[in-house]
Amino acid sequence: MKNLIYADNAATTKLDIDAYEAMQPYLMDDYGNASQSYSFSRSSKKALKEAREIISDSINANPGDIFFTSGGTESDNWAIKGYIFKNPNSSIITSQIEHHAILNPCHTLEKSGVDVRYIAVDENGLVSLEELERYLHDNSQKNKKTRSLVSIMFANNEIGTVEPIKDIAAISHKYNAVFHTDAVQAIGHVDIDVKKMEIDLLSASAHKFNGPKGVGFLYVRNSECLSPYNEGGAQEFGMRAGTENIAGIIGMAYALRKNADEIEKNKLYLLNLESILEDELKTASIQYRRNGATSHIPGNMSLSFLGIEGEMLMHRLDLMGICVSTGAACDSRKTQLSHVLQAIELDKNYAYGTIRVSLGKFNTEEDVKEIGRSIINVIKES
Ligand code: PLP
């Protein structure tokens, strides 16, 4: 097999060397439990403090607003369920294209009687601001005493669309709602300033920005609005119990600082890789559509090929040593389109032929040329 070309960076990313080196001491030498008061635990405590400062700095938050978790799924579940546990009569407004880490807790809460609304998106995956305002207005008429929770993702994982977060936050606050955003795909790739953008709650996951897996955080502007999630010890200011993953947390902080410092450089680099791949496809007269809005996560390319099975294309590329993912999965009877492709109402002739090529800072021009040539060969042979 040829060298691996990894182009599934929206699924996970390679650990950055700076993050790896920052983690080392806490795995073998400085392994003290940060909750103990003897001197051996001092460096673990110091690492927690340093990580909180680095992370809060990169999104313009206060260090005390950062709560470490096990990743994006936990942060999302905490935001949704923690809000409803604390504010039981509240409603939730979210979108049809959220990750299942948001949709599934919403479905669970719906079964126990919570009112959840799912906002539609347009053909580019942008949420309807009119619908958001209408739902918020309805909720404020129905129940004047409770504040709705609005949860809209910063950027979509399948098609890369970046939502108008500042506008969504402003509309939410106009109706006194609390605004959460799942920024798992966005943080470290686009600029985020929680104060300027008026974000109340934000979920993040280290492995999407070249940090380690199994660690993330929830930014909480005002912890009064949430119930604790994990209950047990007094870690994370009594809001999230469990011995902290110090190595993971410090690795996450170093990875985030590096990516946040290089957002503009990485963006230009990735946009150039995107256009090289698109030029290859256009030169070979391949019929395809690119999904998502012009404002998208750099490197995230959702491509739909006319009359092709996306899953077949993904497997053929895999045999050539290229990792991409698909937007349509086969079960034993039929091919299922993802909820995101259904929500943007993509033409079915193209939709079943969708793959996601998500490029990262470690991809090269040679990688994208090879991806382009390989896609063209598979399509021409089929
Ligand atoms: N939210 C979004 C938008 C994601 O893309 C993902 C992972 O793919 C998650 C949440 C879940 O994050 P984690 O893998 O850290 O649990």
Side-chain angles (χ1 to χ4, degrees):
M1 191 158 92
K2 284 192 246 166
N3 283 342
L4 177 82
I5 297 179
Y6 183 77
D8 200 17
N9 288 274
T12 197
T13 55
K14 180 176 167 170
L15 189 64
D16 191 279
I17 187 74
D18 285 9
Y20 176 68
E21 282 171 0
M23 293 169 74
Q24 299 285 309
Y26 303 97
L27 294 168
M28 292 301 287
D29 302 322
D30 294 338
Y31 53 83
N33 185 323
S35 298
Q36 298 300 353
S37 47
Y38 40 71
S39 45
F40 179 54
S41 285
R42 221 172 275 151
S43 64
S44 296
K45 273 199 201 84
K46 214 167 130 245
L48 265 186
K49 184 167 180 284
E50 186 192 358
R52 235 184 276 282
E53 284 166 1
I54 293 174
I55 289 170
S56 56
D57 248 19
S58 53
I59 56 169
N60 192 25
N62 302 319
D65 302 338
I66 306 297
F67 295 82
F68 297 122
T69 66
S70 64
T73 301
E74 184 187 326
S75 300
D76 283 347
N77 271 263
W78 184 9
I80 298 289
K81 294 180 185 160
Y83 187 79
I84 293 296
F85 288 167
K86 189 72 182 255
N87 308 278
N89 299 316
S90 294
S91 308
I92 299 174
I93 300 170
T94 185
S95 83
Q96 293 177 356
I97 61 164
E98 299 297 310
H99 190 272
H100 285 107
I102 292 289
L103 293 177
N104 288 349
C106 284
H107 296 328
T108 302
L109 291 172
E110 263 187 300
K111 284 185 201 137
S112 54
V114 175
D115 175 49
V116 186
R117 301 292 160 102
Y118 301 89
I119 304 177
V121 294
D122 69 10
E123 70 277 13
N124 294 315
L126 290 164
V127 294
S128 160
L129 299 183
E130 293 73 36
E131 207 170 310
L132 169 65
E133 184 137 16
R134 198 167 59 245
Y135 287 152
L136 280 164
H137 181 263
D138 289 353
N139 286 352
S140 65
Q141 295 301 303
K142 266 190 279 172
N143 195 342
K144 292 198 164 47
K145 288 205 194 94
T146 61
R147 305 174 73 190
S148 302
L149 174 70
V150 173
S151 179
I152 304 290
M153 67 201 323
F154 206 113
N156 183 264
N157 43 305
E158 281 190 43
I159 57 174
T161 296
V162 174
E163 300 293 342
I165 290 301
K166 207 165 182 292
D167 297 341
I168 295 170
I171 297 171
S172 305
H173 292 149
K174 181 173 154 194
Y175 291 90
N176 198 27
V178 169
F179 176 55
H180 166 254
T181 186
D182 171 346
V184 166
Q185 291 290 333
I187 188 163
H189 305 287
V190 297
D191 286 317
I192 298 183
D193 180 322
V194 288
K195 290 193 180 134
K196 273 202 197 129
M197 295 176 164
E198 295 181 46
I199 295 167
D200 299 311
L201 299 161
L202 175 145
S203 302
S205 178
H207 74 106
K208 308 287 188 179
F209 51 80
N210 307 98
K213 293 173 182 50
V215 61
F217 68 88
L218 182 66
Y219 158 76
V220 184
R221 191 173 64 81
N222 175 5
S223 59
E224 291 289 296
C225 75
L226 275 192
S227 283
Y229 189 59
N230 281 1
E231 290 179 287
Q235 292 92 350
E236 296 305 287
F237 317 110
M239 290 293 284
R240 195 272 186 186
T243 301
E244 302 87 348
N245 169 6
I246 305 291
I249 288 168
I250 198 76
M252 166 165 70
Y254 275 63
L256 182 56
R257 178 166 61 192
K258 185 155 178 191
N259 275 19
D261 285 349
E262 295 179 348
I263 282 179
E264 204 45 39
K265 181 181 120 198
N266 290 340
K267 177 180 160 188
L268 293 175
Y269 180 69
L270 290 168
L271 291 182
N272 180 48
L273 294 189
E274 286 181 14
S275 54
I276 293 173
L277 176 52
E278 287 214 64
D279 286 349
E280 290 266 337
L281 299 174
K282 283 179 186 142
T283 310
S285 303
I286 297 293
Q287 280 188 285
Y288 75 97
R289 286 191 183 174
R290 175 133 187 218
N291 308 308
T294 21
S295 165
H296 69 277
I297 294 298
N300 185 316
M301 304 177 77
S302 170
L303 304 169
S304 299
F305 297 96
L306 180 65
I308 295 288
E309 282 278 336
E311 186 144 330
M312 176 280 291
L313 181 53
M314 186 264 282
H315 286 303
R316 292 284 302 276
L317 293 175
D318 183 28
L319 292 173
M320 298 168 177
I322 297 170
C323 301
V324 300
S325 65
T326 177
C330 285
D331 65 21
S332 51
R333 278 156 292 136
K334 59 178 181 9
T335 305
Q336 301 270 12
L337 285 186
S338 76
H339 66 293
V340 177
L341 298 183
Q342 287 181 38
I344 63 171
E345 296 182 353
L346 188 60
D347 177 345
K348 294 272 190 312
N349 295 316
Y350 284 87
Y352 289 105
T354 304
I355 58 166
R356 179 188 66 189
V357 178
S358 49
L359 304 166
K361 63 181 183 176
F362 297 124
N363 285 117
T364 62
E365 288 193 11
E366 200 31 60
D367 285 351
V368 282
K369 284 185 187 152
E370 184 61 31
I371 295 170
R373 284 193 293 267
S374 304
I375 292 175
I376 294 162
N377 282 342
V378 175
I379 292 180
K380 294 220 156 137
E381 279 167 16
S382 64

